[in-house]
Amino acid sequence: MRALSSLRWKIALTTTLVCCTVAAALGIAVHNVVALQIVGEVRKEAGRELEHALGHYEYGTAHGDVRSALDPPGLPGPLRELVAHGRTGSMVGTYQGRSVMWAAGPADRQALAVWIPYESTRARLRDLDTAILASSALAAGVVALAGLFLANRISRRLTTTAAVARRISAGDLDARVGFPAGRDTDGTRRSRDEVRDVARALDSMAASLQERLEAEKRFTADVAHELRTPLTGSLAAAGLLPEGRPKEMIEDRLRALHRLTEDLLEISRLDSGVERADLAQVELGQAVRRAVAGSRLDAEVRVVRDAVVLTDRRRLDRILTNLLVNAHKHGRPPVEVTVEGPVVVIRDHGAGYPAELVEQGPQRFRTGDPGRGRGHGLGLTIAAGQAAVLDVTLSFANAPDGGALTTLRLPVGRLTEGS
């Protein structure tokens, strides 16, 4: 049933239904016209026979045809009534069990009737109906196949366009439909093709979006690069200030700006796709304990089941540190880190992640819902970027009893020789 609800089958069934309707209407019209012509010829022949019989009867001569008689027993009643009113007529009936065409007229207050065989005429009409039905069925089949072919072609192109749209929405901005422009050899445009127009509009939108994102990335990288040198100089100059609260405040703000600059530069490198992981076999439980200890943040580590994973320890430390900082900054203690095989789960007991973060993932500079007290910024964005470099699946959720859940699924494998 799901296949019949697809666009290709809807078009094919609609085309077939329209064809069958047109074929039925044309078949009925052809049947009526030809049947009237054939029956009319038989009526004329019966009328001529009746005229001959009436002429012979009037002059008292023999008609010479055994197919005429006065008031024959098989004469249909409506024809008798017509003759009783002094009129002549003809109609189809039976005589001695055979189908005949009757023709009758008044003769001395009696009905003089003639009859001619009608079986061959019925056979011709049956053959005509058979030919009409066969032609209609053949035409419907041909149109159905042609409709299915055209519908399948349209459906494939729409399916391709939809698949590209899904790839673009998933972040693959290089994806394009790539349908031809639809122009003849002389450069003139062909007939209008709505599917091609939709595909070209999608390609144009993807190209425009890609250009804007590339411009944003270049701007971010340029700003971060230009800020790094003066910030480094400012930090050095701040160290020359006399000790006191003003110096501490200035150095604190300058260090925050310096961290922001380094984060922006790291995001730029991740966005450019130049980052490559230095993979090695790592005992995950021990690596998580070292990362938590190195972050100097309070967190309980529980190793349910250890595993050897293939990862870059430096990048893994970066991911875990950012997630722990986010948990302490936006959540509430206790913060728990659980290792079970190649899976690491970090949980806090705060208000949880905003709905848009759970659905769409981290977005840079977004602060979330102020009412829930939970935001996200560059830290989670960097964690997601580093996870992509390591081929780590990073997912965000909220615990049923409250708190944010962040799950990392690391690849398990062994290094091949020469890698």
Side-chain angles (χ1 to χ4, degrees):
M1 293 299 294
R2 182 176 297 179
L4 293 179
S5 64
S6 64
L7 178 62
R8 70 183 67 181
W9 285 108
K10 287 180 180 178
I11 295 177
L13 292 176
T14 301
T15 305
T16 304
L17 180 61
V18 172
C19 176
C20 291
T21 303
V22 173
L26 290 177
I28 293 173
V30 171
H31 170 84
N32 290 337
V33 171
V34 177
L36 287 175
Q37 182 180 359
I38 295 175
V39 175
E41 293 175 356
V42 179
R43 288 184 185 276
K44 288 180 181 180
E45 183 180 355
R48 287 193 297 269
E49 292 290 331
L50 178 61
E51 289 180 2
H52 293 160
L54 288 174
H56 285 287
Y57 180 82
E58 183 178 351
Y59 291 105
T61 60
H63 182 260
D65 194 339
V66 297
R67 293 183 298 184
S68 64
L70 286 172
D71 291 327
L75 186 65
L79 204 53
R80 287 183 183 275
E81 294 180 4
L82 188 65
V83 173
H85 290 84
R87 300 169 63 185
T88 62
S90 61
M91 68 177 294
V92 178
T94 58
Y95 180 69
Q96 295 180 351
R98 294 181 298 174
S99 179
V100 297
M101 173 67 77
W102 288 97
D108 294 337
R109 299 182 181 180
Q110 298 183 65
L112 179 62
V114 298
W115 61 92
I116 60 176
Y118 194 73
E119 285 293 339
S120 61
T121 303
R122 285 189 180 277
R124 289 177 63 188
L125 292 176
R126 285 195 297 268
D127 292 341
L128 173 65
D129 291 341
T130 302
I132 291 175
L133 287 175
S135 301
S136 299
L138 179 61
V142 171
V143 171
L145 290 176
L148 185 59
F149 171 76
L150 294 176
N152 190 52
R153 184 182 178 190
I154 294 173
S155 179
R156 285 201 310 268
R157 298 170 73 194
L158 288 175
T159 301
T160 301
T161 304
V164 172
R166 286 191 291 269
R167 288 173 57 190
I168 293 173
S169 65
D172 184 7
L173 297 181
D174 292 324
R176 298 290 186 273
V177 181
F179 288 160
R183 296 185 181 275
D184 292 326
T185 55
D186 59 356
T188 60
R189 176 147 185 186
R190 297 176 187 171
S191 58
R192 185 173 183 82
D193 186 341
E194 287 79 5
V195 177
R196 185 177 62 241
D197 292 343
V198 171
R200 294 182 64 191
L202 179 63
D203 288 348
S204 176
M205 180 198 71
S208 176
L209 181 60
Q210 188 175 32
E211 290 177 0
R212 294 181 60 182
L213 289 178
E214 290 297 332
E216 177 186 339
K217 293 176 184 178
R218 287 193 300 269
F219 175 77
T220 302
D222 291 344
V223 169
H225 181 75
E226 294 298 328
L227 285 177
R228 172 189 272 182
T229 301
L231 281 175
T232 303
S234 298
L235 278 172
L240 302 177
L241 294 175
E243 298 295 332
R245 182 59 180 167
K247 177 182 178 179
E248 294 177 0
M249 293 177 62
I250 292 174
E251 288 182 336
D252 181 66
R253 293 298 87 196
L254 287 176
R255 279 192 291 268
L257 283 174
H258 192 269
R259 285 194 299 270
L260 175 60
T261 302
E262 294 298 327
D263 288 346
L264 290 174
L265 287 173
E266 184 174 357
I267 289 176
S268 298
R269 291 192 299 271
L270 292 171
D271 287 342
S272 64
V274 299
E275 294 289 290
R276 295 293 181 267
D278 185 13
L279 299 178
Q281 295 181 21
V282 176
E283 292 184 6
L284 187 57
Q286 181 181 357
V288 171
R289 287 193 179 97
R290 289 181 58 181
V292 172
S295 69
R296 298 181 181 180
L297 296 172
D298 186 20
E300 177 186 353
V301 179
R302 187 165 62 98
V303 179
V304 178
R305 178 169 56 89
D306 206 349
V308 176
V309 297
L310 196 61
T311 189
D312 185 329
R313 181 175 295 176
R314 180 181 63 83
R315 296 181 188 275
L316 180 61
D317 288 348
R318 178 69 162 149
I319 295 172
L320 294 173
T321 300
N322 280 16
L323 294 178
L324 289 171
V325 169
N326 188 79
H328 280 273
K329 182 177 180 181
H330 299 289
R332 294 191 185 95
V335 176
E336 302 169 351
V337 182
T338 304
V339 179
E340 186 169 0
V343 179
V344 180
V345 178
I346 299 176
R347 177 186 176 178
D348 62 48
H349 291 74
Y353 287 122
E356 68 272 10
L357 188 148
V358 175
E359 296 172 0
Q360 304 173 12
Q363 306 292 325
R364 64 190 68 176
F365 303 119
R366 181 176 293 177
T367 58
D369 184 1
R372 297 190 62 186
R374 181 87 191 188
H376 61 284
L378 296 181
L380 293 186
T381 304
I382 292 173
Q386 294 289 2
V389 174
L390 295 178
D391 197 21
V392 172
T393 302
L394 183 62
S395 59
F396 303 91
N398 291 319
D401 55 346
L405 284 175
T406 309
T407 304
L408 293 89
R409 299 181 183 274
L410 287 83
V412 179
R414 293 185 177 277
L415 289 174
T416 59
E417 291 185 5
S419 58

